[in-house]
Amino acid sequence: MSRGILIVLSGFSGAGKGTLMKELMKTYDNYALSISMTTRAPRQGEQDGREYFFSTREKFEEKIAQNGLIEYAEYCGNYYGTPRDYVETKLNAGMDVILEIEIQGMRKVKKMFPDMLSLFVTPPDAAELARRLRGRGTETEESVMKRLNTAVLEAEGVEDYEYIVVNDDLKRCVEEIHGIVRAAKRKPVRNEEFINSIRAGLKVLAKGE
Amino acid sequence: MSRGILIVLSGFSGAGKGTLMKELMKTYDNYALSISMTTRAPRQGEQDGREYFFSTREKFEEKIAQNGLIEYAEYCGNYYGTPRDYVETKLNAGMDVILEIEIQGMRKVKKMFPDMLSLFVTPPDAAELARRLRGRGTETEESVMKRLNTAVLEAEGVEDYEYIVVNDDLKRCVEEIHGIVRAAKRKPVRNEEFINSIRAGLKVLAKGE
């Protein structure tokens, strides 16, 4: 069983990350979505261990002190972070684990997991992003403008990602993400055992049998 | 029209590179095989501009002096090299150009084309490589042993390649190579125009229409 790949997925709000992840998980069985830990209160219908691991500030800070989080941030007075044990367990079971986090988180994770894969999801153009945000019907115009302004800042960091993926068509985009992950499995660093075995075999044969 | 990708393909003698390239070119129309220039005499059936560009030593050394070769080497008293103009023309026409060269050549090309893609092709194991070499029926046992010894040395450099591809099944392996090339097209460096256009569009929208 070879270890899975840690995949960081970021993208503009409204790029369709959630739908993409759902479709990816439905289509292939090698992916696991990382579950974040948070100190914010559960919302209606949210379940501990499904949407989030809900935690007190005390316990969260204990986790930080124990180096039990791969990355964390404070946002609107609440902590959000990625528990290391969940990720490690899945990776060791051969699953490819997806973290849906933002660029600051991506940079932190990269330091700890240099072999991780990073993808940035974008709609085909800016107008389409605005259409999707407004089309949700749940956002005020003020909130749409705020998200667009955030997108301007996020767009500055796109080159820090290994891959940029355009979400124009759900199925096509899911195939593209899966293709990128498959390619990543062919990196020498993920095939050390195979390389060593070829090397050993060649040495034996080259000496003459 | 976006510029094509320069792909360096190396691999053990007997890994099946030639057959893979033929199948890849037959299946997809985005690839062009680079044609080497050589000072060795044409063999029966070889045609100038198809197998090789045949050249005199004088003209070859002129090419070197003009920096007209991406890489070159001398082997058994003959020069072999990759003419730059052919490669550039194809890349600019949007074709993905494949150079079938060895590791020293790959390292030289990497300096001039840092965004190139490098792949190393290997059979599933060492025994299969020996079987294929012997199965050709054209190699003396001495030549097989020589090739195996070369393979031992070549195997040391495998980690310098971006991808290692196992040629166990022709069609599967061709798909894998094509998948790796497609993934490479999603790198930010190959999507600068798109990224700039998204950035500009977001800035306009974020200011309010």
Side-chain angles (χ1 to χ4, degrees):
Chain A
M1 170 65 67
S2 68
R3 193 170 144 93
I5 297 182
L6 186 62
I7 303 160
V8 168
L9 190 108
S10 306
F12 304 125
S13 172
K17 297 187 294 292
T19 318
L20 276 173
M21 290 307 93
K22 248 183 228 159
E23 185 68 22
L24 191 68
M25 308 280 289
K26 208 180 80 184
T27 316
Y28 301 102
D29 58 9
N30 56 304
Y31 298 103
L33 257 184
S34 157
I35 302 169
S36 295
M37 179 172 275
T38 184
T39 57
R40 84 148 165 73
R43 291 183 192 142
Q44 188 98 45
E46 284 183 344
Q47 204 176 293
D48 187 49
R50 193 179 63 186
E51 282 80 9
Y52 287 97
F53 295 114
F54 295 101
S55 162
T56 60
R57 282 192 78 85
E58 248 186 329
K59 282 202 171 157
F60 199 103
E61 284 168 356
E62 231 170 72
K63 268 275 191 207
I64 298 173
Q66 292 161 355
N67 199 18
L69 299 171
I70 294 176
E71 55 83 37
Y72 72 93
E74 210 169 348
Y75 179 72
C76 296
N78 288 305
Y79 281 128
Y80 294 80
T82 305
R84 177 194 303 275
D85 46 4
Y86 181 87
V87 169
E88 286 287 356
T89 304
K90 294 285 179 186
L91 288 177
N92 289 333
M95 301 291 281
D96 300 311
V97 180
I98 303 175
L99 309 192
E100 203 199 304
I101 54 177
E102 295 180 11
I103 192 165
Q104 292 82 357
M106 184 275 281
R107 291 185 179 129
K108 283 178 202 162
V109 176
K110 180 90 187 161
K111 279 181 197 155
M112 227 175 297
F113 295 84
D115 296 331
M116 72 165 203
L117 193 60
S118 59
L119 292 98
F120 191 90
V121 182
T122 165
D125 55 50
E128 175 63 20
L129 186 71
R131 256 194 304 280
R132 287 186 197 172
L133 287 171
R134 293 196 173 100
R136 285 176 173 179
T138 54
E139 311 265 344
T140 63
E141 187 55 27
E142 194 195 336
S143 151
V144 167
M145 292 310 287
K146 204 174 148 191
R147 287 183 190 277
L148 286 174
N149 276 285
T150 305
V152 169
L153 300 177
E154 284 170 338
E156 292 308 311
V158 165
E159 279 94 348
D160 285 7
Y161 289 81
E162 273 178 278
Y163 296 99
I164 176 159
V165 174
V166 180
N167 185 13
D168 45 2
D169 174 88
L170 179 64
K171 300 249 176 201
R172 196 205 61 75
C173 189
V174 161
E175 285 315 305
E176 191 160 281
I177 292 173
H178 188 62
I180 289 170
V181 175
R182 282 191 56 190
K185 299 207 184 237
R186 303 312 316 154
K187 296 246 172 193
V189 70
R190 295 200 180 89
N191 292 277
E192 281 174 12
E193 210 174 309
F194 172 77
I195 292 169
N196 289 333
S197 126
I198 281 260
R199 277 183 183 144
L202 285 172
K203 274 181 194 158
V204 170
L205 292 178
K207 276 181 195 155
E209 291 136 307
Chain B
M1 169 67 67
S2 68
R3 193 170 143 94
I5 298 182
L6 186 62
I7 303 160
V8 168
L9 191 108
S10 307
F12 304 126
S13 171
K17 297 187 293 292
T19 318
L20 276 173
M21 290 307 93
K22 249 182 227 158
E23 185 68 21
L24 192 68
M25 309 279 288
K26 208 180 78 185
T27 315
Y28 300 102
D29 58 8
N30 56 303
Y31 298 102
L33 255 184
S34 158
I35 302 170
S36 294
M37 179 173 275
T38 184
T39 57
R40 85 149 163 73
R43 291 182 193 146
Q44 187 98 46
E46 284 182 343
Q47 204 177 293
D48 187 49
R50 193 179 62 189
E51 282 82 8
Y52 287 98
F53 294 115
F54 294 102
S55 161
T56 60
R57 283 191 78 84
E58 247 185 331
K59 282 201 171 160
F60 199 102
E61 283 168 358
E62 233 170 72
K63 268 274 191 207
I64 297 173
Q66 292 161 354
N67 200 19
L69 299 171
I70 294 176
E71 55 83 35
Y72 72 94
E74 210 170 349
Y75 179 73
C76 296
N78 288 304
Y79 281 128
Y80 294 80
T82 304
R84 177 195 302 274
D85 46 4
Y86 181 88
V87 169
E88 287 287 356
T89 304
K90 294 284 180 187
L91 288 176
N92 288 334
M95 301 290 283
D96 301 311
V97 180
I98 304 175
L99 309 191
E100 203 200 303
I101 53 178
E102 295 181 11
I103 191 163
Q104 293 83 357
M106 184 277 280
R107 289 186 181 129
K108 283 178 203 163
V109 176
K110 180 90 187 160
K111 279 181 197 154
M112 229 174 295
F113 295 84
D115 295 330
M116 72 165 203
L117 192 61
S118 60
L119 292 97
F120 191 90
V121 182
T122 166
D125 56 50
E128 176 62 19
L129 185 71
R131 257 194 302 279
R132 287 185 198 173
L133 288 172
R134 292 195 174 102
R136 287 174 171 180
T138 54
E139 310 265 345
T140 62
E141 187 55 27
E142 194 193 335
S143 151
V144 169
M145 291 310 287
K146 205 175 148 190
R147 286 182 190 278
L148 286 174
N149 275 285
T150 305
V152 169
L153 299 177
E154 283 170 338
E156 292 308 312
V158 166
E159 279 94 347
D160 285 7
Y161 289 82
E162 272 178 277
Y163 296 99
I164 177 159
V165 173
V166 180
N167 184 12
D168 44 3
D169 174 88
L170 179 64
K171 300 250 176 201
R172 196 205 60 76
C173 189
V174 160
E175 285 313 306
E176 192 160 280
I177 292 173
H178 188 62
I180 289 170
V181 174
R182 282 191 54 190
K185 299 205 184 239
R186 302 312 317 154
K187 296 248 173 194
V189 70
R190 295 199 179 88
N191 293 277
E192 281 175 13
E193 210 174 308
F194 172 77
I195 293 169
N196 288 333
S197 124
I198 281 260
R199 277 182 183 145
L202 285 172
K203 274 180 193 160
V204 170
L205 293 178
K207 276 178 196 157
E209 290 135 307

